[in-house]
Amino acid sequence: MDALLHGRLLCDTLRLGDLDDGERARLAALWRDADQGALVALALHEGAELWLQRRLKAAEIALADDARATLGAAATRVRAGVMRADAALARVAGIFASAGVEMVPLKSAALRRLTGRLPLADARGVSDVDLLVPELEADRASVVLRGHQFVPLQAEESRPPGHHHRVPLADAWGVAVELHESTHQAVRPAEAWRRATHRPQLAWIDGHQLQLASDTELLWHALVHANRDAGEQARIGLRLRYWLDGAVLVAGSVIDWSLIRSRLDGGELDSPELARAWLWWAASLAGRSLGFSEIGMGELGALDLPRLLAWRLHVLARHSAESRWREKLLEEGARAEGGLPRRARNPGASFVAGARSAAAALAARAAHAAWKAGLRGSDGFTQEFPAPTTPPT
């Protein structure tokens, strides 16, 4: 089975929803023929280990011993991290309730409160807790947490100007709490707070009531987060772990698509076409389809998720985790698949370092283009393409 078929198999397996007997039999047959170790390694790289484990269980697919053990150990680590994050959220909720500080949990911290009606909303690994607080309360919120032994993980001056959250504060177990004044640099803090608290939904954690943003706002924030991170580092922002949030919301929620479309058309995002393609694939993973009326686009667009996963399989099989060349290949391949320009030069780099980085990016793009061309008539998983003998910088 070649790389592209492996990518399609992973997407088909992760797709949410009930499976009939015929689909279970089809997936089981494909998994028997697949390189299970490579697919499990890819799921770990994508941050989709718990997601994959649960979907394999739903499909009644038993992996070979080594693959099952690797996936099981990784899923256990994810669950442990989620438990630590939830304990930190509960503690902060109690502290802020006593101090009269308002907050709205963001991203996974919010979605995990909705698993009763959004299955798999708690299947993404987390290592921190993201909270939105009113702009005028941000300083006091930080002081309150520091007074309860939450310590900064970095110096305040190291935070980039205009960054969307304060310096993370960690509890005694090392869980970082990130206090956001806005959800995106293009959105004023007052508007971000208005959106998050407009028609909120309520949830509870350890006896403390939480207000959560609407499902539409949660979906928009998941999209914004992925879009922003993809622009900065596509090999990270275009990983499956981000798509899980979108998929569970599209699968189980009533979304105000007119609002989503108006924001896509309104210029809030740097890469609106990538955002539309991201939403299309989130819906595909949810077992749904989106069209022009929802996102303003009737076609798939540039992004091909199974092919992106196939490229990662190709790279991960040939380059070690320590290889800087691997990082370049993953980054530029993801940027090419997402229709993004080559990664911008580091502003602090010297002319020589910048030129070398640009040359490496060009070489990585060429390697990706050659690999993609080879998919048309050969095995993309096993075919090798030449790489520089000296890893570029």
Side-chain angles (χ1 to χ4, degrees), residues 168-184:
L169 301 171
D171 66 7
W173 291 270
V175 178
V177 176
E178 296 181 355
L179 299 177
H180 298 247
E181 297 171 36
S182 179
T183 52
H184 191 250

PDB file of all heavy atoms in Angstrom, residues 168-184:
ATOM      1  N   PRO A 168       2.817  32.723  30.033  1.00  0.00           N
ATOM      2  CA  PRO A 168       2.146  31.610  30.711  1.00  0.00           C
ATOM      3  C   PRO A 168       2.569  31.485  32.174  1.00  0.00           C
ATOM      4  O   PRO A 168       3.741  31.695  32.517  1.00  0.00           O
ATOM      5  CB  PRO A 168       2.604  30.387  29.906  1.00  0.00           C
ATOM      6  CG  PRO A 168       3.007  30.934  28.568  1.00  0.00           C
ATOM      7  CD  PRO A 168       3.569  32.290  28.849  1.00  0.00           C
ATOM      8  N   LEU A 169       1.622  31.132  33.013  1.00  0.00           N
ATOM      9  CA  LEU A 169       1.865  30.898  34.435  1.00  0.00           C
ATOM     10  C   LEU A 169       1.618  29.422  34.714  1.00  0.00           C
ATOM     11  O   LEU A 169       0.585  28.884  34.326  1.00  0.00           O
ATOM     12  CB  LEU A 169       0.929  31.757  35.286  1.00  0.00           C
ATOM     13  CG  LEU A 169       1.021  33.274  35.071  1.00  0.00           C
ATOM     14  CD1 LEU A 169      -0.101  33.992  35.816  1.00  0.00           C
ATOM     15  CD2 LEU A 169       2.379  33.801  35.524  1.00  0.00           C
ATOM     16  N   ALA A 170       2.565  28.775  35.383  1.00  0.00           N
ATOM     17  CA  ALA A 170       2.470  27.327  35.593  1.00  0.00           C
ATOM     18  C   ALA A 170       2.159  27.009  37.045  1.00  0.00           C
ATOM     19  O   ALA A 170       2.631  27.675  37.973  1.00  0.00           O
ATOM     20  CB  ALA A 170       3.779  26.651  35.192  1.00  0.00           C
ATOM     21  N   ASP A 171       1.346  25.952  37.228  1.00  0.00           N
ATOM     22  CA  ASP A 171       1.059  25.492  38.588  1.00  0.00           C
ATOM     23  C   ASP A 171       2.160  24.544  39.049  1.00  0.00           C
ATOM     24  O   ASP A 171       3.171  24.342  38.363  1.00  0.00           O
ATOM     25  CB  ASP A 171      -0.322  24.834  38.657  1.00  0.00           C
ATOM     26  CG  ASP A 171      -0.415  23.533  37.862  1.00  0.00           C
ATOM     27  OD1 ASP A 171       0.614  23.048  37.348  1.00  0.00           O
ATOM     28  OD2 ASP A 171      -1.534  22.995  37.748  1.00  0.00           O
ATOM     29  N   ALA A 172       1.969  23.949  40.218  1.00  0.00           N
ATOM     30  CA  ALA A 172       3.017  23.102  40.801  1.00  0.00           C
ATOM     31  C   ALA A 172       3.286  21.856  39.974  1.00  0.00           C
ATOM     32  O   ALA A 172       4.357  21.236  40.102  1.00  0.00           O
ATOM     33  CB  ALA A 172       2.619  22.714  42.225  1.00  0.00           C
ATOM     34  N   TRP A 173       2.362  21.437  39.117  1.00  0.00           N
ATOM     35  CA  TRP A 173       2.531  20.246  38.284  1.00  0.00           C
ATOM     36  C   TRP A 173       3.022  20.594  36.880  1.00  0.00           C
ATOM     37  O   TRP A 173       3.089  19.747  36.016  1.00  0.00           O
ATOM     38  CB  TRP A 173       1.218  19.470  38.211  1.00  0.00           C
ATOM     39  CG  TRP A 173       0.867  18.839  39.523  1.00  0.00           C
ATOM     40  CD1 TRP A 173       1.217  17.603  39.983  1.00  0.00           C
ATOM     41  CD2 TRP A 173       0.115  19.442  40.580  1.00  0.00           C
ATOM     42  NE1 TRP A 173       0.726  17.393  41.246  1.00  0.00           N
ATOM     43  CE2 TRP A 173       0.044  18.507  41.641  1.00  0.00           C
ATOM     44  CE3 TRP A 173      -0.520  20.679  40.733  1.00  0.00           C
ATOM     45  CZ2 TRP A 173      -0.621  18.774  42.828  1.00  0.00           C
ATOM     46  CZ3 TRP A 173      -1.173  20.953  41.925  1.00  0.00           C
ATOM     47  CH2 TRP A 173      -1.227  20.006  42.947  1.00  0.00           C
ATOM     48  N   GLY A 174       3.335  21.874  36.668  1.00  0.00           N
ATOM     49  CA  GLY A 174       3.891  22.288  35.393  1.00  0.00           C
ATOM     50  C   GLY A 174       2.882  22.583  34.310  1.00  0.00           C
ATOM     51  O   GLY A 174       3.262  22.773  33.147  1.00  0.00           O
ATOM     52  N   VAL A 175       1.587  22.630  34.642  1.00  0.00           N
ATOM     53  CA  VAL A 175       0.564  22.956  33.642  1.00  0.00           C
ATOM     54  C   VAL A 175       0.530  24.462  33.456  1.00  0.00           C
ATOM     55  O   VAL A 175       0.343  25.223  34.415  1.00  0.00           O
ATOM     56  CB  VAL A 175      -0.819  22.445  34.074  1.00  0.00           C
ATOM     57  CG1 VAL A 175      -1.878  22.839  33.046  1.00  0.00           C
ATOM     58  CG2 VAL A 175      -0.795  20.934  34.255  1.00  0.00           C
ATOM     59  N   ALA A 176       0.710  24.909  32.234  1.00  0.00           N
ATOM     60  CA  ALA A 176       0.728  26.335  31.932  1.00  0.00           C
ATOM     61  C   ALA A 176      -0.692  26.870  31.769  1.00  0.00           C
ATOM     62  O   ALA A 176      -1.525  26.243  31.111  1.00  0.00           O
ATOM     63  CB  ALA A 176       1.527  26.597  30.668  1.00  0.00           C
ATOM     64  N   VAL A 177      -0.952  28.019  32.339  1.00  0.00           N
ATOM     65  CA  VAL A 177      -2.217  28.730  32.168  1.00  0.00           C
ATOM     66  C   VAL A 177      -1.916  29.983  31.364  1.00  0.00           C
ATOM     67  O   VAL A 177      -1.098  30.816  31.765  1.00  0.00           O
ATOM     68  CB  VAL A 177      -2.838  29.100  33.522  1.00  0.00           C
ATOM     69  CG1 VAL A 177      -4.114  29.923  33.322  1.00  0.00           C
ATOM     70  CG2 VAL A 177      -3.140  27.837  34.324  1.00  0.00           C
ATOM     71  N   GLU A 178      -2.564  30.118  30.217  1.00  0.00           N
ATOM     72  CA  GLU A 178      -2.345  31.260  29.335  1.00  0.00           C
ATOM     73  C   GLU A 178      -3.565  32.179  29.389  1.00  0.00           C
ATOM     74  O   GLU A 178      -4.678  31.761  29.055  1.00  0.00           O
ATOM     75  CB  GLU A 178      -2.086  30.795  27.900  1.00  0.00           C
ATOM     76  CG  GLU A 178      -0.805  29.977  27.771  1.00  0.00           C
ATOM     77  CD  GLU A 178      -0.513  29.534  26.347  1.00  0.00           C
ATOM     78  OE1 GLU A 178      -1.380  29.788  25.467  1.00  0.00           O
ATOM     79  OE2 GLU A 178       0.548  28.947  26.115  1.00  0.00           O
ATOM     80  N   LEU A 179      -3.355  33.398  29.817  1.00  0.00           N
ATOM     81  CA  LEU A 179      -4.421  34.384  29.921  1.00  0.00           C
ATOM     82  C   LEU A 179      -4.445  35.222  28.647  1.00  0.00           C
ATOM     83  O   LEU A 179      -3.482  35.918  28.315  1.00  0.00           O
ATOM     84  CB  LEU A 179      -4.198  35.288  31.136  1.00  0.00           C
ATOM     85  CG  LEU A 179      -4.175  34.583  32.501  1.00  0.00           C
ATOM     86  CD1 LEU A 179      -3.882  35.584  33.608  1.00  0.00           C
ATOM     87  CD2 LEU A 179      -5.497  33.868  32.760  1.00  0.00           C
ATOM     88  N   HIS A 180      -5.554  35.138  27.923  1.00  0.00           N
ATOM     89  CA  HIS A 180      -5.717  35.862  26.665  1.00  0.00           C
ATOM     90  C   HIS A 180      -6.597  37.091  26.887  1.00  0.00           C
ATOM     91  O   HIS A 180      -7.629  37.015  27.550  1.00  0.00           O
ATOM     92  CB  HIS A 180      -6.390  34.985  25.614  1.00  0.00           C
ATOM     93  CG  HIS A 180      -5.619  33.754  25.251  1.00  0.00           C
ATOM     94  ND1 HIS A 180      -5.049  33.559  24.009  1.00  0.00           N
ATOM     95  CD2 HIS A 180      -5.317  32.630  25.965  1.00  0.00           C
ATOM     96  CE1 HIS A 180      -4.447  32.387  23.968  1.00  0.00           C
ATOM     97  NE2 HIS A 180      -4.598  31.804  25.140  1.00  0.00           N
ATOM     98  N   GLU A 181      -6.203  38.202  26.270  1.00  0.00           N
ATOM     99  CA  GLU A 181      -7.071  39.381  26.241  1.00  0.00           C
ATOM    100  C   GLU A 181      -7.903  39.393  24.961  1.00  0.00           C
ATOM    101  O   GLU A 181      -8.923  40.067  24.880  1.00  0.00           O
ATOM    102  CB  GLU A 181      -6.231  40.644  26.330  1.00  0.00           C
ATOM    103  CG  GLU A 181      -5.452  40.764  27.634  1.00  0.00           C
ATOM    104  CD  GLU A 181      -4.462  41.912  27.603  1.00  0.00           C
ATOM    105  OE1 GLU A 181      -4.781  42.962  27.001  1.00  0.00           O
ATOM    106  OE2 GLU A 181      -3.373  41.766  28.166  1.00  0.00           O
ATOM    107  N   SER A 182      -7.436  38.662  23.945  1.00  0.00           N
ATOM    108  CA  SER A 182      -8.176  38.523  22.699  1.00  0.00           C
ATOM    109  C   SER A 182      -7.900  37.136  22.143  1.00  0.00           C
ATOM    110  O   SER A 182      -6.999  36.431  22.615  1.00  0.00           O
ATOM    111  CB  SER A 182      -7.760  39.598  21.690  1.00  0.00           C
ATOM    112  OG  SER A 182      -8.472  39.437  20.468  1.00  0.00           O
ATOM    113  N   THR A 183      -8.670  36.754  21.156  1.00  0.00           N
ATOM    114  CA  THR A 183      -8.474  35.454  20.523  1.00  0.00           C
ATOM    115  C   THR A 183      -7.632  35.560  19.257  1.00  0.00           C
ATOM    116  O   THR A 183      -7.246  34.537  18.692  1.00  0.00           O
ATOM    117  CB  THR A 183      -9.836  34.841  20.157  1.00  0.00           C
ATOM    118  OG1 THR A 183     -10.598  35.796  19.398  1.00  0.00           O
ATOM    119  CG2 THR A 183     -10.606  34.475  21.422  1.00  0.00           C
ATOM    120  N   HIS A 184      -7.358  36.797  18.826  1.00  0.00           N
ATOM    121  CA  HIS A 184      -6.598  36.988  17.592  1.00  0.00           C
ATOM    122  C   HIS A 184      -6.129  38.431  17.532  1.00  0.00           C
ATOM    123  O   HIS A 184      -6.829  39.340  18.004  1.00  0.00           O
ATOM    124  CB  HIS A 184      -7.467  36.667  16.364  1.00  0.00           C
ATOM    125  CG  HIS A 184      -6.706  36.596  15.083  1.00  0.00           C
ATOM    126  ND1 HIS A 184      -6.836  37.539  14.093  1.00  0.00           N
ATOM    127  CD2 HIS A 184      -5.793  35.693  14.634  1.00  0.00           C
ATOM    128  CE1 HIS A 184      -6.047  37.232  13.070  1.00  0.00           C
ATOM    129  NE2 HIS A 184      -5.406  36.119  13.373  1.00  0.00           N
TER     130      HIS A 184
END
